[in-house]
């Protein structure tokens, strides 16, 4: 019991240390001299500045934009933290950032800043995990339904929730959609991997 409690405490500390580090990185990215060097820019990436695939997600158009996304990051981590221990939060954010940055090359977008696409992926990923957890199943399906309705409103009706005026930029709803789809995909892969591990563990137990 004591060992389990210590392990749980260590997991929570690691998770929130990651959150603090990510928050500090986002704050650092707002440095005026640094922001133009990390912004996702299609032409610059084609010219070999590949770091922008990831870093563009961590810079923001203004402080209101940054505050909204950091608040969402902390909220989602509070909701889905049980699935993000052992450095999974950092790994998930990096995977989503890279995959989204790469996918956005197949678009007419020339430049963007912001973590919102990645956050949509994080929400989808957590919802998928909830759907596979008996006690959290309804919460998971509810979140997936909410994300789906949001995507329909944004893609079909160009609804921006009043955020464009606040952040001083056009809302890239295509990034929200692609981020949500990537999170869904990563969530399903994670479930398949866990299922594979469980089968192997049962097989090994039978052999013993």
């Amino acid at each position: 019991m004591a060992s389990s409690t210590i392990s749980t405490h260590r997991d929570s500390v690691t998770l929130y240390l990651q959150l603090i580090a990510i928050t500090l990185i986002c704050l650092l990215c707002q440095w005026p001299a640094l922001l133009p060097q990390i912004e996702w820019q299609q032409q610059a990436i084609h010219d070999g500045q590949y770091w922008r695939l990831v870093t563009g997600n961590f810079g923001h158009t203004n402080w209101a934009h940054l505050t909204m996304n950091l608040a969402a990051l902390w909220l989602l981590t509070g909701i889905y933290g049980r699935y993000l221990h052992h450095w999974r939060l950092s790994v998930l954010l990096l995977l989503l950032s890279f995959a989204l940055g790469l996918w956005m090359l197949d678009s007419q977008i020339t430049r963007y800043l912001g973590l919102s696409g990645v956050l949509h992926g994080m929400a989808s990923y957590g919802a998928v995990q909830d759907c596979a957890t008996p006690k959290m199943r309804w919460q998971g399906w509810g979140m997936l339904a909410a994300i789906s309705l949001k995507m329909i409103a944004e893609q079909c009706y160009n609804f921006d929730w009043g955020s464009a005026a606040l952040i001083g930029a056009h809302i890239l709803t295509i990034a929200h959609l692609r981020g949500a789809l990537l999170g869904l995909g990563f969530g399903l892969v994670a479930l398949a991997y866990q299922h594979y591990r469980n089968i192997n563990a049962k097989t090994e137990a039978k052999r013993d």
Side-chain angles (χ1 to χ4, degrees):
M1 179 67 73
S3 176
S4 176
T5 301
I6 292 171
S7 178
T8 300
H9 177 70
R10 186 185 301 119
D11 286 344
S12 296
V13 169
T14 301
L15 178 63
Y16 284 99
L17 283 176
Q18 291 175 78
L19 254 185
I20 292 169
I22 293 163
T23 299
L24 292 175
I25 288 170
C26 288
L27 289 169
L28 177 63
C29 287
Q30 293 306 106
W31 185 28
L34 182 60
L35 194 59
Q37 307 305 318
I38 59 109
E39 181 183 34
W40 188 98
Q41 295 180 9
Q42 178 128 209
Q43 188 56 54
I45 293 169
H46 284 301
D47 290 341
Q49 298 180 20
Y50 302 120
W51 65 84
R52 294 178 184 269
L53 290 168
V54 172
T55 60
N57 296 284
F58 294 91
H60 292 80
T61 58
N62 58 28
W63 291 103
H65 191 196
L66 173 65
T67 301
M68 284 194 302
N69 279 347
L70 285 181
L73 173 65
W74 280 78
L75 177 63
L76 288 171
T77 302
I79 295 172
Y80 297 122
R82 57 189 171 277
Y83 307 125
L84 299 170
H85 293 147
H86 307 300
W87 304 100
R88 290 176 191 163
L89 173 61
S90 296
V91 171
L92 178 63
L93 291 184
L94 285 173
L95 284 174
L96 286 168
S97 295
F98 177 73
L100 180 59
L102 199 61
W103 196 358
M104 290 300 289
L105 291 174
D106 182 31
S107 74
Q108 300 301 312
I109 305 302
T110 58
R111 58 205 304 164
Y112 82 84
L113 285 166
L115 197 62
S116 58
V118 171
L119 292 172
H120 281 74
M122 186 177 171
S124 293
Y125 176 90
V128 169
Q129 306 306 309
D130 271 354
C131 288
T133 305
K135 290 184 179 180
M136 306 302 296
R137 189 162 292 157
W138 287 109
Q139 176 177 304
W141 284 111
M143 177 63 85
L144 286 179
I147 293 171
S148 298
L149 289 173
K150 185 174 187 291
M151 295 302 99
I152 291 170
E154 291 181 349
Q155 300 303 315
C156 299
Y157 302 102
N158 296 316
F159 202 75
D160 71 4
W161 313 95
S163 300
L166 192 60
I167 72 172
H170 176 67
I171 303 298
L172 287 183
T173 57
I174 185 64
H176 294 176
L177 175 62
R178 292 182 178 186
L181 291 173
L182 286 169
L184 185 66
F186 287 150
L188 292 173
V189 169
L191 288 182
Y193 176 68
Q194 187 61 50
H195 181 66
Y196 171 77
R197 288 187 60 184
N198 290 341
I199 290 174
N200 274 359
K202 290 178 180 178
T203 302
E204 292 297 325
K206 288 179 180 179
R207 288 176 181 173
D208 293 341

